[in-house]
Amino acid sequence: MGFNPVYRWWVILFLPACVMLSACSDEAPAPLNIGAMVQPLPDSGVFRLDDHHTWGPQVSKGQDGRYYLVYSRWPKNTFWWRASEIALAVSERAEGPYSHLSVLLAGRGPGHWDEAVAHNPKIKLFNGRYYLYYVSGLAKDDLSHYRVTQQIGVAVSDSITGPYQRLDEPILGPSPPLYNLAVNPGVTQMPDGRYLMIMKGEIRPVPAGVPKPQRIQGMAIASTPVGPFEMLPEPAIRNIDTEDASLWYDRRRNKYFAIFHAHSFVGLIESSDGFNWQEAEHYQIVAGNRLLRADGSMLQMTDRPLQRPNIFVEGGEPRLLTLAVPDPSGWHVVIVPLAEKK
């Protein structure tokens, strides 16, 4: 069979372009730079309730195509460790506005490990079911005695809106290298099917009523979303005082990322295996507690730091940064858009 001259010219003219396009499509994605992606905050991204503090936000996309905001709330006339409950809000758009929908969990009362409150939620969809991770402890007369009873629990549902069925016992409490408490979990599924958790504890044991030691971020692993979780020997962060880490696996970059706050800034760490962590190339996401609004003004806050940072990922890329924000009237939630610079 003779060589077709038309095909020969097609190879000469077009094959190099195809090779170049293929190479481009296989290029490694740029290092994650969430700080450069932060957009001005629209009015629709502010979620507050008149009679409650709102706190600890996380956005998820439901199987119905709508967007759900899970958050903690408690009446403005009391403290979170006395009355926090976990609630759900809904929106047609990821950026909001969100409307309160229902309460998902509250403290169960005497006789249960989670009698006092339900606090600091994260909802994750694993294998068709929703897992609501939360924090609770025993009712006490003061925060210093309540805080050292805190552990991590989970409730499970077939629907993001519930109802959620709790496990009777906590799935993780403090153990070395974390002491005194285990709180504020973030969970992601690893490529091998196991489940990785990041959580806050403290660097050394202390009794209730004395000043808190440095807070660190520990890691644990399990073969199922409900555990049992095994605490890993090396924390993800132990060199600075940190809180509120949230965790996800980036399939495009083949890395784990965790966002946290360190009082004066919101930061990002990364890991290639989930066990060994380092500062991300673009480490600081937000410095201080200043957020630009869409109208060009700065969001009014107190001097307290931004807290409970979380990243909503859609289509493989970060789309939203959610935060708890202090202002003179109390805590409220913001949903900050993220976008690549053109």
Side-chain angles (χ1 to χ4, degrees):
M1 181 181 294
F3 187 75
N4 187 328
V6 175
Y7 178 75
R8 180 183 63 189
W9 283 109
W10 184 93
V11 170
I12 293 171
L13 292 174
F14 295 106
L15 185 58
C18 293
V19 171
M20 289 178 63
L21 286 171
S22 176
C24 290
S25 67
D26 291 338
E27 282 183 3
L32 188 59
N33 187 356
I34 296 176
M37 300 171 69
V38 173
Q39 303 296 300
L41 175 67
D43 289 343
S44 63
V46 177
F47 177 75
R48 65 172 85 233
L49 300 174
D50 291 338
D51 53 354
H52 284 74
H53 297 281
T54 59
W55 166 272
Q58 180 214 8
V59 169
S60 299
K61 189 172 186 179
Q63 293 172 314
D64 58 2
R66 297 195 293 175
Y67 295 88
Y68 292 88
L69 177 74
V70 64
Y71 65 98
S72 300
R73 70 175 201 170
W74 64 94
K76 290 185 176 180
N77 62 357
T78 189
F79 302 105
W80 68 266
W81 48 275
R82 291 187 186 276
S84 183
E85 59 189 11
I86 294 170
L88 196 67
V90 64
S91 175
E92 299 298 325
R93 300 173 60 250
E95 296 82 3
Y98 284 85
S99 300
H100 173 75
L101 186 63
S102 64
V103 173
L104 299 180
L105 288 183
R108 281 195 287 178
H112 300 281
W113 74 270
D114 53 355
E115 69 171 326
V117 298
H119 195 54
N120 285 354
K122 295 279 176 56
I123 289 180
K124 301 293 290 190
L125 177 63
F126 296 131
N127 304 317
R129 304 197 79 193
Y130 290 92
Y131 295 83
L132 171 52
Y133 298 92
Y134 68 101
V135 174
S136 190
L138 302 177
K140 299 292 181 179
D141 292 333
D142 61 73
L143 177 57
S144 67
H145 287 81
Y146 165 75
R147 59 184 297 278
V148 296
T149 72
Q150 292 179 101
Q151 300 183 81
I152 295 167
V154 68
V156 187
S157 177
D158 293 325
S159 168
I160 195 169
T161 57
Y164 283 86
Q165 181 66 42
R166 311 179 211 225
L167 271 67
D168 280 337
E169 300 298 327
I171 59 172
L172 192 70
S175 63
L178 268 63
Y179 297 93
N180 307 322
L181 49 83
V183 296
N184 305 355
V187 181
T188 193
Q189 189 168 22
M190 305 175 76
D192 67 6
R194 293 181 296 172
Y195 297 86
L196 189 67
M197 178 189 288
I198 192 167
M199 83 299 297
K200 183 181 82 172
E202 294 174 342
I203 200 166
R204 67 178 187 276
V206 296
V210 304
K212 293 179 288 190
Q214 179 185 315
R215 279 76 60 92
I216 62 176
Q217 304 298 318
M219 304 298 303
I221 195 165
S223 59
T224 77
V226 299
F229 280 88
E230 176 187 356
M231 192 76 76
L232 298 177
E234 288 300 319
I237 308 175
R238 70 177 305 149
N239 60 320
I240 59 172
D241 192 76
T242 55
E243 295 198 73
D244 298 344
S246 293
L247 175 71
W248 75 99
Y249 178 69
D250 186 318
R251 295 188 180 278
R252 289 187 62 225
R253 294 173 178 83
N254 194 28
K255 285 183 178 181
Y256 299 87
F257 290 98
I259 186 174
F260 62 92
H261 91 79
H263 310 291
S264 62
F265 69 95
V266 174
L268 186 71
I269 56 172
E270 65 179 33
S271 172
S272 60
D273 59 9
F275 308 127
N276 300 285
W277 291 83
Q278 63 187 23
E279 294 181 5
E281 181 170 334
H282 301 284
Y283 178 52
Q284 282 202 13
I285 295 174
V286 179
N289 67 347
R290 293 172 63 81
L291 289 175
L292 180 67
R293 298 186 68 124
D295 64 7
S297 66
M298 300 304 295
L299 188 68
Q300 184 183 16
M301 303 184 202
T302 67
D303 292 334
R304 300 187 69 178
L306 301 169
Q307 300 200 33
R308 301 296 299 160
N310 193 74
I311 298 295
F312 169 62
V313 176
E314 188 171 38
E317 288 295 321
R319 182 172 175 186
L320 301 171
L321 165 65
T322 54
L323 295 157
V325 171
D327 71 19
S329 68
W331 289 95
H332 68 277
V333 163
V334 296
I335 300 102
V336 181
L338 300 174
E340 293 281 3
K341 287 189 175 180
K342 302 297 184 184

